[in-house]
Amino acid sequence: MAETRGVRSASAGRRAPGLRRVWCCSFVAAPDSPDHRRSSSTHRELRPAKTPPKLSHPGSFHSSPSPSSKLGLGIIDPRRILSPGRVSPIDSDTPLGPLPGILDSASISTTAVESEPECPDPAPKERSLVPDKPKTDTRVSLRERSLDLRLCLRGKDGRCLVLELDSAVLCESSAFFAAMVMDSTRKVSDADCQKIEVAGVEDVDVFKETIELMYEKDASRWLMKAGVSRAIGVLEVCLKIMFDRGMRSCLKYIEAVPWTETEEEKLKRLFARSTIDKAICEDVLARLDPQDCNHSEDLAVQLIQSVTNATNANARREMRSLVNGLLSKSSVYQKEPVGLNKDSLYNVCHSCLNSLVKLFEEALNSIPMDQMTAGKRTKPLIERVSKQVENLNWLLEILIDKEMAEDFVGLWANQKELIRMHERASPMLRYELSRISANVFIALGLRKLQCPGGMRFSILQSWFGPMLMDFGWLQRCSKGLDMRMLEESMGQVILTLRLKQQQILFEEWFRCFAGHGTECPNLCKAFQVWWRRSFVRTCEARR
């Protein structure tokens, strides 16, 4: 009996891991664990030991009380702390090695692959321009590529760029590189180590993009993404390295898209310093060199005449501003000022003056009513008069800018018919004529116009009186006219005449100013100057 108990005790000691332990803590049940065999709490029957399950992580085990025999097998980590209560396993900082005898073949092969040395990366300045293949083993793909040439680009700024290239594509695309590669093959015995160099490159990046274009299947799509400015740079390199396919692709793209003014100037400079077959770039040159267009002088006069005949006020204002920009000396559209035919321009002035005379005749009923109503007028008379006055003032500005306005002074001074009708016309109409006289006086006073003394006295004699009558209306409806500048200019112009002529005009002004006050221009300063010159200094000289 004692022996039996001893055997049972020994067997129980050996099978202790499969039985539920008695916990000293106040837990209702022990936590589940892979090492705990579930058994009934009332019947403590002994069951045969089962083979422990395979663990997914061989380096870490759930802790459970086990005999020292398992430590010998290496199944349980000897560094674990075991306690009789709820046990929290403490893993070591470093992962443990796998259990002996449970490694599969997959893990071994993976380890072997990872332990092999990786292929060295290419040099930082090297770049492969061969199209990428589907990702496979790195060593195999590098063998498949025929990168048998290294091209070194040295820029004038000191930059250096090395490209790994396929020599077959490079030689097929460019006769320039074909000669360099052939020369390099003669000097180097090992064909796999060929290296060529291009020194003195203006722009390394543009040169590299030109090389990339050789390996592009769709050159037009690449150029669309690059833009016109980069395409012009690539075109210049194509001309230097004799890359005909790239040159034709660039010209085709450049001709088909709009250009900015900067890009247009860049193209002009390129064609000026390069030799290109005109048959290839004919379409591009046609956009740069208008050989068959009309002469600019005749075309400019036609544009001016079209503006004066325009019926829409807003459109006429926009076109006038556009033509001013085209004719301006500081225009961005013309490196040299556009010449104008003086006779053609004065013909336009005569046409506007004739229209103005007819409008005043219509206003004064000087022409029969049947002729006056023969054509239906869609615009009021005042608006039509104002339009012709604006045209004449605009033409005067152009003539002054082109230094051809001297004859306009004489032309305006000899308008006897308009001067005669001015006295009889309504103030709402006649003050429009004084707007033309005001611009002439301002130009003379600001020294923009130089004409003989006889011509200056002639225009003052003709239009000084009407100006005194219309000055009040000009103040109320100036339409952008600087009245103070007009007063100063009138005084300065009068002072350029002979003293006797000055006296005639100042006496006329004095009488008008005494009767109308501020409705007349204030010429007091000029009057005082004339008085000192005529009387004070003369008396002092006599003394």
Side-chain angles (χ1 to χ4, degrees), residues 44 109 122 124 169 173 196 201 228 358 360 442 470 496 533:
R44 304 177 64 181
S109 62
V169 178
S173 302
I196 59 177
V201 178
V228 178
K358 291 180 180 178
F360 269 83
I442 291 175
D470 298 332
T496 61
R533 287 177 180 175

Side-chain angles (χ1 to χ4, degrees), residues 287-460:
R287 291 177 58 178
L288 293 173
D289 187 13
Q291 297 178 353
D292 300 331
C293 294
N294 295 333
H295 200 273
S296 60
E297 294 183 3
D298 299 333
L299 182 58
V301 174
Q302 292 177 13
L303 293 176
I304 293 172
Q305 190 168 8
S306 299
V307 174
T308 58
N309 295 332
T311 56
N312 186 281
N314 293 331
R316 187 169 63 252
R317 192 178 302 111
E318 291 291 334
M319 290 190 297
R320 191 183 299 138
S321 176
L322 174 61
V323 174
N324 284 338
L326 297 176
L327 300 178
S328 175
K329 293 180 180 179
S330 59
S331 174
V332 296
Y333 304 103
Q334 296 288 341
K335 298 305 178 184
E336 296 180 359
V338 177
L340 288 175
N341 190 303
K342 182 177 179 180
D343 295 335
S344 300
L345 198 56
Y346 271 96
N347 288 337
V348 180
C349 294
H350 282 287
S351 176
C352 293
L353 286 171
N354 293 334
S355 300
L356 197 58
V357 171
K358 291 180 180 178
L359 290 173
F360 269 83
E361 289 176 350
E362 180 182 343
L364 298 176
N365 293 327
S366 298
I367 59 177
M369 289 295 296
D370 56 347
Q371 296 182 15
M372 192 172 63
T373 59
K376 292 184 179 180
R377 302 294 186 180
T378 58
K379 300 291 183 181
L381 182 62
I382 297 177
E383 186 174 346
R384 285 180 279 149
V385 170
S386 178
K387 170 192 168 183
Q388 297 301 331
V389 171
E390 288 179 357
N391 288 337
L392 287 168
N393 281 329
W394 179 52
L395 291 170
L396 175 61
E397 292 178 6
I398 296 175
L399 291 170
I400 291 173
D401 186 65
K402 300 301 178 182
E403 299 179 357
M404 297 185 296
E406 180 179 341
D407 293 343
F408 187 90
V409 179
L411 179 64
W412 185 242
N414 293 326
Q415 295 300 312
K416 305 301 182 182
E417 191 69 18
L418 285 175
I419 296 172
R420 181 181 60 81
M421 290 187 290
H422 179 274
E423 300 176 357
R424 300 162 50 197
S426 168
M428 296 179 64
L429 288 177
R430 72 186 187 192
Y431 95 97
E432 292 284 353
L433 299 178
S434 293
R435 286 173 53 201
I436 301 176
S437 303
N439 284 309
V440 174
F441 294 154
I442 291 175
L444 289 171
L446 295 179
R447 304 174 185 176
K448 293 181 179 179
L449 267 175
Q450 293 85 33
C451 54
M455 191 177 293
R456 295 196 303 271
F457 179 68
S458 176
I459 193 170
L460 285 169

Side-chain angles (χ1 to χ4, degrees), residues 44-334:
R44 304 177 64 181
E45 297 178 358
L46 297 177
R47 298 179 182 178
K50 297 182 180 179
T51 305
K54 290 183 179 182
L55 301 177
S56 59
H57 303 285
S60 178
F61 293 88
H62 295 285
S63 60
S64 60
S66 60
S68 60
S69 60
K70 293 186 176 182
L71 296 173
L73 296 175
I75 299 176
I76 298 179
D77 187 3
R79 290 171 291 180
R80 298 191 178 280
I81 302 175
L82 305 179
S83 62
R86 177 184 286 270
V87 180
S88 299
I90 302 176
D91 294 337
S92 61
D93 295 337
T94 59
L96 298 177
L99 291 177
I102 63 175
L103 293 176
D104 54 2
S105 59
S107 300
I108 294 173
S109 62
T110 305
T111 306
V113 171
E114 292 178 354
S115 63
E116 292 181 5
E118 297 181 358
C119 297
D121 295 334
K125 294 184 179 179
E126 296 179 355
R127 179 181 178 185
S128 174
L129 297 180
V130 176
D132 295 337
K133 298 181 179 179
K135 290 186 177 181
T136 56
D137 188 0
T138 308
R139 294 166 295 174
V140 176
S141 62
L142 286 176
R143 293 191 194 102
E144 292 177 356
R145 298 176 182 177
S146 56
L147 306 181
D148 56 346
L149 178 68
R150 285 190 177 185
L151 172 61
C152 179
L153 303 177
R154 296 189 182 275
K156 292 183 178 180
D157 55 354
R159 289 184 58 192
C160 180
L161 184 66
V162 179
L163 306 177
E164 291 183 349
L165 305 171
D166 183 357
S167 61
V169 178
L170 189 68
C171 296
E172 181 183 357
S173 302
S174 170
F176 172 79
F177 283 116
M180 292 187 67
V181 171
M182 184 178 297
D183 185 55
S184 176
T185 305
R186 296 172 182 172
K187 295 180 180 179
V188 181
S189 59
D190 188 1
D192 294 335
C193 300
Q194 291 185 13
K195 183 177 180 181
I196 59 177
E197 179 176 326
V198 179
V201 178
E202 291 286 346
D203 193 329
V204 174
D205 295 328
V206 175
F207 207 106
K208 181 199 69 172
E209 291 172 350
T210 308
I211 300 299
E212 289 178 351
L213 189 61
M214 297 180 181
Y215 296 86
E216 289 289 337
K217 294 182 179 180
D218 193 348
S220 60
R221 181 176 296 179
W222 186 92
L223 291 169
M224 287 175 61
K225 295 180 180 179
V228 178
S229 182
R230 291 171 63 187
I232 296 173
V234 171
L235 173 61
E236 185 174 4
V237 178
C238 290
L239 294 172
K240 293 180 179 179
I241 65 175
M242 293 178 283
F243 179 24
D244 294 338
R245 179 171 59 86
M247 178 183 63
R248 294 176 183 273
S249 299
C250 291
L251 288 173
K252 181 180 178 181
Y253 167 73
I254 291 171
E255 191 277 331
V257 296
W259 311 330
T260 63
E261 294 180 9
T262 304
E263 293 165 350
E264 182 178 351
E265 292 298 325
K266 190 175 181 181
L267 265 177
K268 288 181 178 179
R269 291 193 297 268
L270 173 60
F271 283 111
R273 64 174 178 265
S274 303
T275 303
I276 309 177
D277 187 4
K278 292 185 178 181
I280 301 176
C281 59
E282 181 180 1
D283 295 334
V284 177
L285 289 175
R287 291 177 58 178
L288 293 173
D289 187 13
Q291 297 178 353
D292 300 331
C293 294
N294 295 333
H295 200 273
S296 60
E297 294 183 3
D298 299 333
L299 182 58
V301 174
Q302 292 177 13
L303 293 176
I304 293 172
Q305 190 168 8
S306 299
V307 174
T308 58
N309 295 332
T311 56
N312 186 281
N314 293 331
R316 187 169 63 252
R317 192 178 302 111
E318 291 291 334
M319 290 190 297
R320 191 183 299 138
S321 176
L322 174 61
V323 174
N324 284 338
L326 297 176
L327 300 178
S328 175
K329 293 180 180 179
S330 59
S331 174
V332 296
Y333 304 103
Q334 296 288 341

